[in-house]
């Protein structure tokens, strides 16, 4: 089914979608409680954090502005009333999990991670203990296993002598879709046993008295797979049936469930499943407050935990100058160190009121209908050659009800030739389309490796190649290092899901190729050869310009099929700041003299750019070569700042920085210069100038220093090459598409792009749009446009727009890159001290 319209969707999911029996329909909820989404934002990262309701926040604000709350550790009337509010909040949390106050206690923490940390630190580990956890677990659960740093004192499993091991759980489903007996239909596979060498073991426990811990999520935050909670009863009553092949089945097994994700739609029913520990975070359920979670703990389990630290609120009495402390007896008081976050706790009742009005089962059905819709459509997508577009990561079978498939879809996308689209490419393009989603491994390395088929050697090789969490290394050795995840919340709509599906179709599904008018094929076939594509990725571009100024070694004959001339020359002295136009400018071994020769660095060592500090575009620059002065101005600074370029003017010392895999020696400036720039951008920073060393070094993938291969052609602080060239005809064509596409820019005005928006050094005129794509296609590459070009400044204020990148992405994207303009490198072998570029100079090109 194509689900071309909402009517078709409702035929299949209408009984579950949109709260048909609720107090409000989904459309009413969006119109009255989520007005901030009316700007077109599609939020699909509810597994990371769901959105708070505006009515919910209004209720909290009214509460806080009409009532007075005090520290619960005081004895005033207000504080005692606050204690009652906190007590009622505990009961509300227990009710959510159908837990009896006789059997369970609710301990407030700063989040699910803090709750897990508390269990790991206070658990009675011994050398006979075992910590067993499913492969599909969040890093915060794996942390209970322990990783010791030098000189660190650890209270976690391995350091206390316990064994730790991961397991895979697989369940069979019969033809009727009904589970057979759990024990007979569940397969447990053990991973290697881990023990810490040199761990200080406590005194040996009597046989059978060791305490073991089994941890698993109620719902995997990578795949959305839900675990069968019957595992709780099996592990509590008869672990030998599950662990019959394991030597670790002895002792008392306790069970921990990470419900941070699963409790949103199916909170574990603790009246049926006697889980010892359940952890959760409130922002996952109703968006606010953040920084507050809970540990729901059985009373008998609480007696086994030992909190060695004491603080205000956990002690009944203590004496300062001798070793004496008397602890409080209440479970909550024993484990809640310091004053509780009582205002956040007071606010959760407003979130629960909202959820209860819709009911958790109705929320589950609503979310599941959207998840199944997206899942079905993604699996149905095909490229023009019949190849599948999408690979979904999940363990569902066809017999499983869609109500049990979770609220998320994790997947990767393939090109027609079977190669993968990088997930960061998908995320960046989604952002341009107003769609917010999540990519990576979602802090779940076990599930990531399992579903992506990554071996230990693959993972170690990726780390060796420099891959870490949250970086852009999305494809290594032809394999994805993570996935794309969309997840839905109680306020998500069919329109959200449909816009996402349309985005995938329009951006990643290959249709019959239309390569005219500057189009670059998404499917991988284009007028760039494979060698040319590789050169694009490596940014190696050589071109003749103006007779012999730019020369490719060994090439002696050039054709002039069209007359191209230089229309504008622009120099950008300070990286990411405004440049200045000139009629004539000298060349040097780094390109245009003084181009990108300076940069700004934060106090933490971060190199600043417009992408992170948009205010940098407000700093104007100009260089007077005769007086050897760089002049900078800013609307935030009353006076302009002249900077002397003479060698004897530097007094800030020499330092080294690493940038784009290269190591630079840099010169610093006096405090008054740095203070001026700090005021101009609104944050502390320092100005650095590229210093010309006698040798040049680069950094390899490991971060080690090596000699650069190309010692003659040097770069200042440019991203990729010495020059960027764009043509007026290509910019004009882009503007015609922006106008025809009716996409709106800032304040509802259609965007019109000036060539200077791309920060080119050279603007040329002559020929057809995008003719530069075909200039020596084996030696020429496109410029990978970053989001810097989406910034404009008006009336001294910096504004961000989705354009022109969104339109460029629709027809100028190739192998994950948005291409516009070409990059050039100056050939130093023909260096002449009198070499200049001039406006009006003719450009000779060598076409393909």
């Amino acid at each position: 089914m194509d689900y071309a319209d909402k009517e078709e969707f409702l035929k299949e999911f209408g009984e579950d979608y949109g709260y048909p029996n609720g107090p409000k329909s989904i459309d009413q909820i969006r119109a009255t409680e989520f007005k901030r989404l009316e700007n077109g934002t599609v939020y699909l990262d509810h597994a990371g954090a769901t959105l708070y309701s505006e009515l919910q926040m209004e209720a909290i604000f009214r509460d806080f502005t009409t009532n007075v709350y005090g520290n619960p550790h005081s004895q005033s009337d207000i504080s005692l009333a606050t204690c009652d509010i906190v007590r009622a909040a505990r009961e509300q949390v227990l009710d959510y999990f159908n837990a009896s106050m006789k059997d369970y206690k609710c301990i407030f923490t700063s989040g699910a991670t803090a709750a897990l940390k508390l269990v790991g630190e206070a658990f009675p580990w011994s050398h006979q203990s075992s910590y067993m956890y499913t492969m599909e677990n969040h890093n915060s659960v794996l942390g209970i296993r322990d990783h010791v740093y030098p000189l660190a004192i650890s209270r976690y499993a391995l350091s206390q002598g316990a064994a730790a091991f991961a397991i895979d759980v697989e369940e069979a489903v019969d033809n009727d879709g009904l589970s057979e007996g759990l024990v007979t239909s569940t397969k447990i596979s053990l991973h290697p046993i881990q023990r810490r060498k040199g761990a200080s073991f406590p005194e040996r426990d009597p046989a059978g008295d060791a305490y073991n811990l089994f941890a698993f999520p109620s719902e995997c935050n990578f795949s959305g797979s839900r675990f069968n909670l019957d595992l709780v009863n099996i592990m509590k009553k008869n672990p030998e049936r599950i662990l019959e092949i394991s030597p670790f089945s002895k002792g008392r097994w306790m069970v921990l469930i990470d419900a941070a994700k699963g409790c949103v739609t199916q909170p574990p029913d603790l009246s049926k499943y006697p889980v010892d520990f359940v952890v959760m975070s409130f922002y996952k359920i109703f968006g606010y407050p953040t920084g507050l979670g809970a540990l729901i703990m059985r009373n008998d389990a609480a007696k086994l935990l030992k909190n060695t630290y004491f603080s205000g609120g956990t002690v009944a009495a203590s004496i300062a100058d001798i070793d004496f402390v008397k602890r409080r007896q209440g479970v909550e008081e024993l484990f809640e160190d310091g004053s509780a976050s009582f205002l956040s706790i007071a606010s959760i009742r407003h979130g629960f009121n909202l959820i209860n009005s819709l009911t958790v089962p109705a929320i589950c059905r609503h979310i599941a209908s959207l998840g199944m819709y997206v899942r079905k459509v993604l699996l149905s997508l095909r490229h023009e050659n019949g190849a599948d577009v999408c690979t979904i990561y999940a363990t569902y079978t066809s017999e499983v009800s869609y109500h049990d498939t979770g609220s998320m879809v994790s997947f990767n996308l393939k090109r027609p030739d079977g190669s993968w689209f990088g997930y960061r490419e998908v995320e960046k393009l989604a952002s341009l389309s107003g769609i917010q989603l999540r990519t990576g491994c979602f802090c779940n390395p076990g599930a990531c490796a399992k579903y992506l088929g990554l071996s230990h050697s693959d993972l170690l090789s990726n780390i060796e190649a420099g891959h870490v969490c949250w970086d852009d290394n999305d494809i290594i050795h032809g394999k994805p290092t993570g996935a794309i995840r969309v997840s839905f919340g109680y306020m998500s709509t069919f329109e959200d899901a449909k816009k996402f599906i349309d985005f995938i179709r329009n951006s990643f599904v290959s249709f019959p190729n239309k390569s005219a008018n500057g189009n670059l094929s998404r499917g991988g076939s284009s007028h760039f050869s494979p060698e040319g594509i590789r050169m694009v990725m490596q940014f190696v571009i050589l071109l003749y310009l103006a007779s012999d100024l730019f020369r490719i070694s060994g090439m002696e004959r050039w054709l002039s099929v069209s007359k191209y001339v230089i229309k504008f020359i622009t120099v950008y002295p300070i990286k990411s700041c405004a440049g200045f136009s000139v009629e004539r400018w000298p060349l040097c071994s780094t390109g245009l003299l003084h181009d990108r020769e300076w940069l700004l660095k934060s106090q933490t060592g971060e190199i600043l750019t417009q992408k992170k500090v948009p205010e940098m575009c407000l700093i104007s620059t100009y260089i007077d070569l005769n007086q050897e002065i760089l002049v900078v101005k800013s609307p935030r600074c009353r006076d302009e700042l002249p900077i002397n370029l003479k060698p004897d003017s530097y007094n800030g010392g020499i330092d080294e920085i690493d940038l784009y895999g290269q190591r630079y020696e840099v010169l610093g400036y006096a405090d008054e210069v740095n203070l001026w720039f700090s005021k101009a951008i609104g944050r502390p920073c320092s100005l650095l100038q590229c210093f010309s060393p006698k040798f040049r070094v680069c950094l390899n993938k490991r971060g080690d220093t090596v000699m650069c291969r190309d010692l003659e052609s040097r770069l200042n602080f440019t991203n990729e090459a010495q020059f960027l060239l764009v043509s007026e005809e290509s910019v004009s064509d882009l503007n015609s598409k922006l106008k025809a596409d009716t996409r709106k820019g800032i304040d509802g005005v259609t965007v019109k792009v000036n060539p200077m928006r791309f920060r080119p050094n050279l603007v040329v005129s002559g020929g057809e749009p995008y003719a530069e794509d075909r200039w020596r296609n084996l030696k020429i590459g496109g410029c990978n446009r970053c989001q810097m070009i989406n910034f404009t400044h008006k009336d001294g204020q910096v504004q961000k727009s989705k354009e022109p990148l969104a339109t460029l992405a629709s027809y100028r994207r190739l192998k994950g890159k948005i291409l516009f303009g070409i990059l050039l490198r100056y050939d130093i072998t023909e260096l002449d001290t009198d070499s200049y570029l001039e406006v009006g100079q003719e450009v000779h090109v060598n076409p393909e």
Side-chain angles (χ1 to χ4, degrees):
M1 184 179 292
D2 186 37
Y3 300 100
D5 54 39
K6 192 171 184 178
E7 183 178 351
E8 293 180 8
F9 167 80
L10 293 176
K11 286 179 182 179
E12 182 170 354
F13 301 107
E15 293 184 2
D16 297 313
Y17 172 79
Y19 313 105
N21 300 315
K24 286 184 180 179
S25 69
I26 183 61
D27 293 335
Q28 290 173 323
I29 291 171
R30 284 292 286 262
T32 59
E33 301 185 38
F34 295 91
K35 298 174 184 176
R36 62 191 186 279
L37 298 179
E38 293 176 356
N39 63 358
T41 296
V42 174
Y43 184 81
L44 298 178
D45 188 24
H46 294 273
T50 198
L51 302 177
Y52 53 79
S53 158
E54 290 151 23
L55 295 184
Q56 171 194 355
M57 299 306 294
E58 290 173 7
I60 293 171
F61 183 74
R62 283 195 303 271
D63 184 355
F64 287 0
T65 54
T66 56
N67 295 299
V68 180
Y69 291 89
N71 192 319
H73 292 169
S74 299
Q75 297 299 305
S76 66
D77 291 343
I78 289 174
S79 295
L80 292 175
T82 302
C83 286
D84 292 337
I85 295 292
V86 172
R87 188 179 302 111
R90 296 189 203 276
E91 294 178 11
Q92 201 163 19
V93 174
L94 293 177
D95 287 342
Y96 189 73
F97 291 91
N98 202 16
S100 166
M101 293 186 64
K102 182 181 70 174
D103 298 321
Y104 285 91
K105 292 293 186 289
C106 171
I107 299 166
F108 287 114
T109 65
S110 63
T113 295
L116 291 164
K117 186 171 182 285
L118 191 159
V119 174
E121 290 178 342
F123 195 82
W125 303 111
S126 73
H127 72 291
Q128 290 185 332
S129 296
S130 297
Y131 176 46
M132 181 172 73
Y133 53 91
T134 55
M135 278 292 287
E136 298 182 50
N137 255 313
H138 196 279
N139 269 323
S140 298
V141 177
L142 303 188
I144 295 176
R145 179 187 65 194
D146 182 20
H147 178 77
V148 174
Y149 292 94
L151 305 179
I153 299 175
S154 173
R155 290 173 285 172
Y156 300 98
L158 290 176
S159 289
Q160 294 299 309
F165 55 93
I167 64 170
D168 284 310
V169 180
E170 296 182 12
E171 289 188 79
V173 179
D174 65 20
N175 293 331
D176 295 326
L178 301 175
S179 176
E180 301 170 7
L182 175 65
V183 175
T184 59
S185 64
T186 299
K187 180 182 177 182
I188 301 293
S189 303
L190 271 67
H191 288 256
I193 307 300
Q194 308 159 60
R195 279 197 181 275
R196 175 65 44 74
K197 293 181 179 179
S200 56
F201 301 153
E203 185 178 346
R204 185 177 180 85
D205 301 296
D209 288 346
Y211 292 98
N212 309 304
L213 183 62
F214 172 44
F216 69 96
S218 57
E219 181 181 334
C220 174
N221 77 320
F222 186 97
S223 66
S225 301
R226 291 193 173 112
F227 284 80
N228 193 322
L229 297 187
D230 283 342
L231 279 170
V232 176
N233 292 322
I234 295 298
M235 290 304 300
K236 297 280 288 182
K237 297 176 181 178
N238 196 6
E240 290 84 1
R241 299 291 299 274
I242 292 290
L243 298 173
E244 55 185 9
I245 61 173
S246 168
F248 302 101
S249 60
K250 301 297 182 182
R252 178 180 171 183
W253 276 95
M254 309 181 78
V255 180
L256 180 153
I257 289 182
D258 177 7
K261 177 63 189 77
C263 73
V264 176
T265 53
Q266 288 190 2
D269 185 342
L270 299 185
S271 69
K272 295 181 180 179
Y273 307 103
V275 186
D276 296 286
F277 312 102
V278 177
V279 303
M280 52 90 70
S281 291
F282 294 100
Y283 72 93
K284 302 276 189 178
I285 305 175
F286 36 72
Y288 182 89
T290 58
L292 183 69
L295 168 63
I296 296 93
M297 181 163 48
R298 284 189 67 85
N299 293 333
D300 54 353
K303 296 175 183 177
L304 300 175
L305 301 191
K306 304 297 181 184
N307 186 7
T308 57
Y309 178 77
F310 69 88
S311 64
T314 65
V315 297
S318 66
I319 299 177
D321 57 348
I322 63 173
D323 185 12
F324 176 85
V325 60
K326 182 178 180 180
R327 294 182 178 273
R328 294 187 180 275
Q329 298 303 306
V331 173
E332 300 95 333
E333 297 168 328
L334 279 173
F335 293 101
E336 289 180 354
D337 294 323
S339 298
S341 183
F342 54 89
L343 290 179
S344 292
I345 293 170
S347 72
I348 66 174
R349 62 191 175 105
H350 301 288
F352 276 123
N353 289 344
L354 185 154
I355 298 299
N356 292 337
S357 69
L358 296 173
T359 75
V360 173
I363 291 173
C364 180
R365 293 192 299 271
H366 170 78
I367 290 175
S369 67
L370 294 171
M372 180 55 72
Y373 160 61
V374 168
R375 194 172 295 111
K376 282 187 172 184
V377 176
L378 287 178
L379 288 175
S380 71
L381 296 178
R382 299 289 185 274
H383 289 295
E384 60 176 327
N385 65 356
D388 291 341
V389 173
C390 184
T391 296
I392 291 181
Y393 305 113
T395 56
Y396 329 119
T397 67
S398 59
E399 291 83 6
V400 175
S401 164
Y402 77 78
H403 294 154
D404 297 322
T405 57
S407 60
M408 68 182 72
V409 184
S410 293
F411 62 96
N412 272 313
L413 301 172
K414 283 187 172 183
R415 297 185 175 89
D417 62 4
S419 62
W420 298 96
F421 285 103
Y423 58 77
R424 285 289 287 139
E425 175 185 356
V426 179
E427 184 175 32
K428 291 175 181 178
L429 291 174
S431 180
L432 289 175
S433 297
I435 299 171
Q436 312 303 314
L437 44 75
R438 180 84 175 265
T439 64
C441 279
F442 325 126
C443 298
N444 197 323
C448 190
K450 172 183 175 180
Y451 288 104
L452 298 181
L454 299 175
S455 65
H456 288 167
S457 60
D458 290 330
L459 297 172
L460 292 173
S461 176
N462 292 348
I463 295 170
E464 187 75 8
H467 174 54
V468 294
C469 297
W470 306 340
D471 67 11
D472 286 343
N473 294 316
D474 49 11
I475 304 289
I476 298 180
H477 305 310
K479 291 184 178 181
T481 60
I484 306 146
R485 185 183 73 187
V486 294
S487 51
F488 300 95
Y490 73 85
M491 77 299 295
S492 297
T493 64
F494 167 79
E495 288 73 20
D496 292 336
K498 184 65 164 56
K499 183 174 180 180
F500 166 73
I501 290 296
D502 290 344
F503 158 71
I504 294 295
R505 277 199 180 108
N506 295 334
S507 301
F508 300 99
V509 180
S510 176
F511 301 109
N513 185 32
K514 298 178 181 180
S515 60
N517 299 322
N519 284 293
L520 299 179
S521 172
R522 290 191 300 268
S525 62
S526 72
H527 46 259
F528 286 124
S529 70
E531 175 66 19
I533 291 171
R534 185 160 66 252
M535 302 303 278
V536 170
M537 304 299 287
Q538 294 175 345
F539 310 114
V540 179
I541 302 94
L542 300 170
L543 183 68
Y544 270 119
L545 274 182
S547 299
D548 292 332
L549 289 180
F550 291 78
R551 181 179 295 277
I552 300 176
S553 299
M555 302 299 296
E556 299 177 353
R557 185 170 60 89
W558 293 90
L559 303 176
S560 182
V561 295
S562 296
K563 183 177 181 181
Y564 297 92
V565 295
I566 297 177
K567 294 295 293 290
F568 300 99
I569 301 172
T570 306
V571 182
Y572 304 89
I574 304 175
K575 182 176 178 64
S576 271
C577 293
F580 63 97
S581 295
V582 294
E583 292 292 315
R584 188 172 187 265
W585 198 257
L587 291 162
C588 65
S589 61
T590 59
L592 292 172
L593 182 64
H594 298 307
D595 187 60
R596 275 89 168 188
E597 192 169 314
W598 290 264
L599 58 71
L600 297 179
K601 184 180 76 169
S602 72
Q603 285 187 327
T604 61
E606 179 183 21
I607 305 304
L608 301 180
T609 66
Q610 278 189 35
K611 286 187 284 186
K612 297 180 179 179
V613 188
E615 293 80 6
M616 292 179 69
C617 72
L618 301 177
I619 299 176
S620 63
T621 60
Y622 176 72
I623 290 178
D624 188 322
L625 292 177
N626 294 325
Q627 297 187 37
E628 297 186 76
I629 290 178
L630 164 64
V631 180
V632 292
K633 300 179 182 180
S634 168
R636 294 185 171 187
C637 299
R638 184 181 62 181
D639 299 322
E640 64 182 33
L641 177 68
I643 299 174
N644 198 327
L645 303 184
K646 296 178 182 178
D648 58 358
S649 63
Y650 308 110
N651 54 9
I654 299 177
D655 198 359
E656 287 188 350
I657 63 170
D658 296 331
L659 182 66
Y660 307 129
Q662 298 181 20
R663 181 159 294 168
Y664 294 86
E665 284 189 307
V666 293
L667 298 172
Y669 284 84
D671 289 344
E672 56 266 25
V673 173
N674 297 329
L675 288 173
W676 189 96
F677 281 98
S678 298
K679 183 178 181 181
I681 67 172
R683 66 176 69 187
C685 67
S686 56
L687 180 69
L688 300 176
Q689 182 182 17
C690 184
F691 182 59
S692 298
K694 295 181 180 179
F695 61 90
R696 186 159 169 254
V697 297
C698 301
L699 303 178
N700 64 14
K701 292 181 178 179
R702 298 182 183 181
D704 300 327
T705 300
V706 296
M707 291 299 298
C708 292
R709 294 181 180 179
D710 182 3
L711 294 176
E712 292 185 338
S713 179
R714 298 191 301 107
L715 298 177
N716 280 338
F717 298 130
T718 56
N719 291 12
E720 301 162 336
Q722 294 174 343
F723 303 83
L724 170 64
L725 177 149
V726 301
S727 77
E728 286 189 327
E729 289 75 18
S730 298
V731 174
S732 177
D733 183 76
L734 169 61
N735 280 321
S736 67
K737 286 181 168 59
L738 285 169
K739 184 177 181 181
D741 200 19
T742 66
R743 300 192 182 195
K744 299 301 180 182
I746 299 171
D747 297 329
V749 178
T750 302
V751 174
K752 185 175 182 180
V753 177
N754 184 288
M756 295 304 144
R757 189 82 165 267
F758 296 91
R759 297 176 60 82
N761 295 107
L762 306 173
V763 178
V764 299
S765 179
E768 298 296 321
Y770 313 107
E772 60 270 23
D773 289 345
R774 299 182 295 277
W775 294 353
R776 291 296 304 167
N777 70 320
L778 295 181
K779 296 294 185 180
I780 201 165
C783 175
N784 177 25
R785 302 313 313 156
C786 64
Q787 288 197 32
M788 190 182 301
I789 66 169
N790 281 21
F791 289 110
T792 60
H793 57 90
K794 179 181 179 182
D795 300 329
Q797 299 295 319
V798 181
Q799 298 172 305
K800 186 176 181 180
S801 166
K802 296 174 184 176
E803 296 296 354
L805 273 185
T807 294
L808 283 172
S810 69
Y811 75 108
R812 295 288 299 174
R813 197 174 94 250
L814 183 67
K815 291 290 186 181
K817 307 294 183 181
I818 299 175
L819 308 178
F820 195 82
I822 59 174
L823 297 168
L824 309 174
R825 187 182 69 185
Y826 181 54
D827 193 338
I828 195 174
T829 59
E830 296 295 322
L831 181 62
D832 186 331
T833 55
D834 294 326
S835 294
Y836 280 79
L837 287 183
E838 294 185 50
V839 171
Q841 207 165 23
E842 188 171 346
V843 178
H844 300 273
V845 303
N846 184 22
E848 63 179 357

